[in-house]
Structures are given as C-alpha cells and as structure tokens.
Amino acid sequence: MALALGTWCCATADAHEAGGGGIPDTPGLRIDATAAVAAYHADTPIPAPRLGGVLGLGDTPSDQRGTQLEHATLGMGVRLLPQVGANVAVGWHGSEPGHVEAAWLQARPSADAPFAIGAGRNRVPIGTVLRNAGHLDRYGQMPLAKRATFNGDWIEDGVNATWRPHLDGPLDWLEAVDVGLWKAQRFPGSAGSDWAPVVHLRSAWSDWAVDAFYSRLRPQGRGAYVQSTTSGHVHTAPTCDASLRGIACFDGTVDLLGGSATWATPLPGVQLSGAALWRRERGALYSQNGDTRYDGKTLGGWLEALWQPSARWDFGMRQEWLQSTHDVNGPGAYAVATDANLLPNAPARRFTAMAGWRPAPGWLVALEAGHERIADRGNTIVGLRLIWTPSDALWKRNW
C-alpha cells in the first residue's frame, strides 16, 4: 500500500507558470506551500531504474517504495505595484537538498493589460495538462513521456512574453500565446546549450481546451551515465571530459513538439484528456567505444478519463505509452548504442486507475493501482494518497 499526505494549493502550482501565476493580482503579499509524504508498495523499484531505448541522462532515480518525502514546496508572491510583481518557490524531493523551482520577476503595462513579460526561473509553458501531470496530480508517478522528454518537470532560466487576448470574432478561440527564450541547461539541453526558443499556444472553445508548443535546442557535450546505478536522480547532464570515462555524449539539435487537449463531455461529470510529446535528436553520439552519427525519435503520451459523479467522488483511468526509434551509424555503432542505453529498445506502457473521495472541501483521499511494463519488465503498483488542496493561499495581505 502507499500513503501520501499532501498540502497543495492551486496558487503554488500556478507560481511555476511563466505567465506569472503565484503573484497577487493586486499589490500585496501571499504565501503558498505544498507537501506530499508517500509510501508505495510495488514488485520492483519505482520509478523504473531505466527507460530502455531512451537517450536520456543514464541516471538512476531513488527507489520510492517505503515511506519518504515525495515533494514539498514553499512559495511567496509579491506585487509591489500594479505593473510589477515577483514570486519565488523552493522545492524538496526525498532526502535531496532544497532547490529553487521558481524565481520570477514580471512586468505588465497596467493591471488589466493582456500582455506581460517575465524573466528568471520558471516552469517552461507547455500547457496545463502537460504541466500538471506528475506534479502532485491525481496520480503518483511522473508520466513516462515527461520522464523521457524532460527527465521530469521542465524548469529553466529564461525570458518569456505572455499574451492573453480577449478577442471577438474569428480569433475568439485564441486564449494564450507564450514566446520565450530559455537557457536550456537542463535535460534535454546541457550546460553548453545555446538559448532555446519556445512557442506555446492555447485555444479554448465550447467544452474544449487545446495546447501546443514547439522548441529547438542545441546541446553540446550533453553527457549520459553509462550503466550507472549510483548516480541518483539528476536534472543536469554530466560533463563530457576528454577521457569519456563512464560517459556517453551527444552534440547536435533537439526538436521538441507537444500537445494536449481536454474535453468536458456531454456526459455529466465526465472529462477526457490526452497529451503527446515528440522529441527528435540529430547529431554526434560518442563514447570511449566509438564515434557515430545519430538520428533518433521518441514519442509518448497518455489518455485519461475522469468521472466525478458528485462533488465528493473522483474516478479516473490513465493509459500511457512510450516508444523510440534510433539510427546510429559509424565506428563502434553497436557499442555506442549500448553505452547510451539505446539497446535493448522496447516500448513502455503503464495503466493506472484511481478512486478518490473528498470528505471535506480541499481534501482528497485517493486509492490507485496500476501495472507498467518498462524495458520488458512488468511491475504492479498500489497506493493510497491523502491530498489537501486549499482553494486559496495559506496567507495573504493586500496593500
């Protein structure tokens, strides 16, 4: 069984959005916090030590079975003037030291302006469905597609311009536009990456909401551990030094494309959603055992159904899938592909079902069970989660 105790506030989740969520709408100060403590039971370690056939960082996440701190954040947002605001959020995972998840300064022409520009550290805007999945959502594990594409949540330093139009006529479906430049130093980028453009669009009409984003990164010397079982979970690629000892390296371009959709169906309380992520990498892939030309594609996503028959009950199902194709050519191609964890290459999938009960406003008791098959190994996971989602900040004051 698994037990998770959580404190979750929508304002803190929004604090990671490049649009400036977590900053008060009017001059003032607000404090937000989240926490989740979990204990999981599964046949083998969770998350799986490796996603077979995925060009990643080669790191080995900590086994989440047993009781431990799953995730916690503490955030503060302040608006000094109607035109200027800022927020900061610090996060913790397990026994890892705290890290800054958001440190964002935002400016806008006026209080009711549809345009704003921000700079600092934030979650890159990729859409609500993709952003929230795996981040203290209804299901306990990070989706396979997000782990393969970003190695978790995509948090970067950068600059982002946001437009929230309120248009009438032919473009009334356009709800949001984000255009930004991000340093791309976290996976799938590297310390040697150029600044990466990211464009995100959101549209909404009737009972539908759709998001799409695109980005191109240029990592140089992006390392990955070769069959490491002691690296722990990392977000930044190891350095490719001259010896290449225990490291496989990639230099080239990365194209990222993603989309998601949500449909509030005509059936009472039934909502369907889905998401997909596509990553293509082209360039040089090399290790101590060879130097090759690489062209690879990774595609993954999920479909999710949620039924809320009343305000007190949630029932959901999520089906995930992930697959990759690789073309490696040059001296030592087989050895390099093995070093880079491209072999063996097997599709991954996961199915999870959950049932949730809300005993009081802001509280959710959720039972979930699922089965996954990753790197040709099956694993059954059962969990019980207790989540608190207050509808407002923990503390706030207007000026």
Side-chain angles (χ1 to χ4, degrees), residues 132-192:
N132 290 343
H135 191 83
L136 296 169
D137 71 354
R138 287 184 174 84
Y139 302 88
Q141 290 201 72
M142 181 67 63
L144 298 172
K146 284 189 68 174
R147 180 181 172 188
T149 305
F150 310 119
N151 205 37
D153 287 321
W154 196 15
I155 301 174
E156 285 285 0
D157 297 335
V159 179
N160 188 78
T162 301
W163 183 39
R164 300 291 187 264
H166 303 286
L167 303 175
D168 295 323
L171 292 179
D172 60 357
W173 52 268
L174 185 60
E175 188 171 273
V177 179
D178 289 285
V179 179
L181 284 174
W182 301 83
K183 292 185 70 174
Q185 294 192 335
R186 294 163 61 104
F187 186 83
S190 71

Side-chain angles (χ1 to χ4, degrees), residues 31-127:
I31 303 294
D32 301 289
T34 74
V37 177
Y40 291 93
H41 175 79
D43 299 333
T44 60
I46 55 170
R50 293 290 181 87
L51 297 178
V54 174
L55 183 60
L57 292 177
D59 60 333
T60 304
S62 301
D63 189 354
Q64 295 179 358
R65 293 179 298 176
T67 302
Q68 61 179 302
L69 176 67
E70 179 183 291
H71 193 187
T73 67
L74 179 64
M76 180 179 70
V78 59
R79 183 166 293 282
L80 305 174
L81 301 168
Q83 297 84 7
V84 181
N87 71 282
V88 62
V90 179
W92 296 265
H93 294 272
S95 59
E96 299 177 7
H99 57 279
V100 178
E101 296 191 358
W104 196 249
L105 177 64
Q106 183 204 68
R108 61 189 185 184
S110 63
D112 57 353
F115 177 81
I117 188 167
R121 174 166 296 183
N122 220 320
R123 295 173 75 187
V124 180
I126 56 177

Side-chain angles (χ1 to χ4, degrees), residues 43 141 144 318-320 349-353 369-374 377-382:
D43 299 333
Q141 290 201 72
L144 298 172
R318 177 184 285 175
Q319 176 66 57
E320 303 179 43
R349 62 183 183 272
R350 176 191 292 148
F351 175 80
T352 309
H371 184 81
E372 63 185 21
R373 189 163 189 84
I374 301 174
R377 295 191 63 182
N379 194 15
T380 299
I381 304 164
V382 180

Side-chain angles (χ1 to χ4, degrees), residues 61-334:
S62 301
D63 189 354
Q64 295 179 358
R65 293 179 298 176
T67 302
Q68 61 179 302
L69 176 67
E70 179 183 291
H71 193 187
T73 67
L74 179 64
M76 180 179 70
V78 59
R79 183 166 293 282
L80 305 174
L81 301 168
Q83 297 84 7
V84 181
N87 71 282
V88 62
V90 179
W92 296 265
H93 294 272
S95 59
E96 299 177 7
H99 57 279
V100 178
E101 296 191 358
W104 196 249
L105 177 64
Q106 183 204 68
R108 61 189 185 184
S110 63
D112 57 353
F115 177 81
I117 188 167
R121 174 166 296 183
N122 220 320
R123 295 173 75 187
V124 180
I126 56 177
T128 303
V129 174
L130 285 167
R131 178 197 70 200
N132 290 343
H135 191 83
L136 296 169
D137 71 354
R138 287 184 174 84
Y139 302 88
Q141 290 201 72
M142 181 67 63
L144 298 172
K146 284 189 68 174
R147 180 181 172 188
T149 305
F150 310 119
N151 205 37
D153 287 321
W154 196 15
I155 301 174
E156 285 285 0
D157 297 335
V159 179
N160 188 78
T162 301
W163 183 39
R164 300 291 187 264
H166 303 286
L167 303 175
D168 295 323
L171 292 179
D172 60 357
W173 52 268
L174 185 60
E175 188 171 273
V177 179
D178 289 285
V179 179
L181 284 174
W182 301 83
K183 292 185 70 174
Q185 294 192 335
R186 294 163 61 104
F187 186 83
S190 71
S193 292
D194 295 333
W195 286 68
V198 179
V199 178
H200 162 248
L201 303 176
R202 178 176 176 84
S203 61
W205 66 95
S206 184
D207 296 321
W208 285 87
V210 178
D211 289 271
F213 81 93
Y214 171 76
S215 179
R216 168 165 282 200
L217 295 75
R218 298 183 182 275
Q220 298 297 312
R222 190 188 75 199
Y225 294 104
V226 175
Q227 300 298 323
S228 172
T229 59
T230 60
S231 65
H233 181 60
V234 299
H235 295 283
T236 303
T239 302
C240 293
D241 55 25
S243 70
L244 295 180
R245 183 177 178 85
I247 298 292
C249 290
F250 173 77
D251 302 335
T253 62
V254 180
D255 290 295
L256 296 177
L257 182 65
S260 60
T262 301
W263 178 36
T265 74
L267 299 175
V270 177
Q271 176 179 288
L272 302 179
S273 61
L277 289 166
W278 178 81
R279 187 180 96 204
R280 183 178 186 183
E281 297 183 298
R282 290 169 287 183
L285 184 64
Y286 51 98
S287 71
Q288 282 184 324
N289 295 309
D291 190 351
T292 69
R293 299 301 300 173
Y294 173 71
D295 187 343
K297 304 178 186 69
T298 300
L299 178 64
W302 64 89
L303 295 174
E304 185 175 328
L306 174 65
W307 178 39
Q308 297 175 301
S310 70
R312 288 185 174 271
W313 291 98
D314 289 8
F315 298 93
M317 296 183 296
R318 177 184 285 175
Q319 176 66 57
E320 303 179 43
W321 51 274
L322 178 69
Q323 60 187 33
S324 299
T325 59
H326 310 285
D327 185 5
V328 185
N329 294 286
Y334 183 85

